[in-house]
Amino acid sequence: MNFFNMFNKLGFAILLGLFCVTSVAHAQDAQNIAVLDLGAVLSKSKAMKDADMKISAMEKNFKAKNEIAQNKLREEEQQIAQQRAILAPDVFVKKRDAFRKKAADFNRNARLKLRQFALTRSDTVKKIEKTMEPIVSKIAKSVGATMIVEKKQILFGETKLEITDLVVADLNAKLPSVSVKLVPLPAQ
């Protein structure tokens, strides 16, 4: 008897699953689902390429200046270490502690600057996405899409209405470049 109950429940579950699959299939037929690869839009857009180039130049400039400052800190550290033998212990401790504070401040400022670059990149992406929203809406309407799905969210299915290249073309026409300013860091 348990076997038959289990078999009936399994059969019911299979029928329910088939019903759900066919219902979803019919619902998809009623919907025109467009597919957008947001990552591809950003990586192919002229504005993002322009922004990446500008931010990378800022980072490269910072890293060059940072490396020079690091070298000066290393030299200062070596000088303090060499003075250990000739300085009074309390004077040496004061110099060493002052140097450690200076080095810690330097490292904290470097981390903050790197964070500032990341926030600037994020802010730039938001600007591009804001410009992209009406473009996506216009293209979706023009192809008769009733829904847009991010490509990376699709596990399985047809992508008849792939609008990524159309969005890239319109975005490049509307926003070939973007201004990039370092985002101020929030007060701490």
Side-chain angles (χ1 to χ4, degrees), residues 48-184:
M48 194 67 224
K49 289 176 184 176
D50 177 61
D52 276 339
M53 189 174 64
K54 290 173 182 175
I55 294 170
S56 292
M58 287 182 213
E59 288 173 330
K60 186 177 179 181
N61 185 31
F62 166 73
K63 287 177 182 177
K65 289 179 180 178
N66 193 50
E67 190 173 326
I68 291 169
Q70 278 180 333
N71 289 336
K72 286 182 181 178
L73 279 174
R74 281 189 203 104
E75 288 173 12
E76 186 178 341
E77 181 181 34
Q78 288 172 354
Q79 288 173 354
I80 292 171
Q82 289 171 352
Q83 293 173 356
R84 182 177 191 154
I86 59 174
L87 291 176
D90 59 326
V91 175
F92 172 76
V93 168
K94 284 181 185 177
K95 276 192 157 194
R96 184 195 63 201
D97 290 347
F99 173 78
R100 285 181 178 170
K101 183 183 179 327
K102 184 178 179 179
D105 288 345
F106 173 82
N107 288 330
R108 183 180 57 80
N109 289 334
R111 283 192 306 274
L112 287 174
K113 194 68 167 176
L114 293 175
R115 182 170 177 239
Q116 190 175 25
F117 290 131
L119 290 173
T120 299
R121 185 171 265 108
S122 177
D123 185 62
T124 303
V125 168
K126 286 177 188 173
K127 286 180 193 175
I128 294 170
E129 287 175 343
K130 189 173 183 177
T131 302
M132 188 174 59
E133 285 176 18
I135 293 170
V136 171
S137 180
K138 180 189 81 164
I139 290 173
K141 287 177 186 174
S142 73
V143 297
T146 55
M147 183 186 306
I148 301 171
V149 177
E150 167 67 39
K151 189 171 189 172
K152 69 180 177 183
Q153 300 299 324
I154 299 173
L155 296 176
F156 175 77
E158 267 189 62
T159 56
K160 294 177 195 172
L161 291 178
E162 171 68 55
I163 63 171
T164 302
D165 290 336
L166 297 171
V167 172
V168 170
D170 281 13
L171 181 61
N172 285 343
K174 186 170 185 172
L175 189 70
S177 67
V178 64
S179 65
V180 175
K181 293 181 184 173
L182 282 178
V183 174

Side-chain angles (χ1 to χ4, degrees), residues 25-45:
H26 289 297
Q28 286 179 339
D29 288 341
Q31 297 279 335
N32 284 329
I33 300 173
V35 177
L36 178 66
D37 187 344
L38 186 57
V41 171
L42 290 174
S43 68
K44 292 178 181 179
S45 78

Side-chain angles (χ1 to χ4, degrees), residues 14 51 57:
I14 291 172

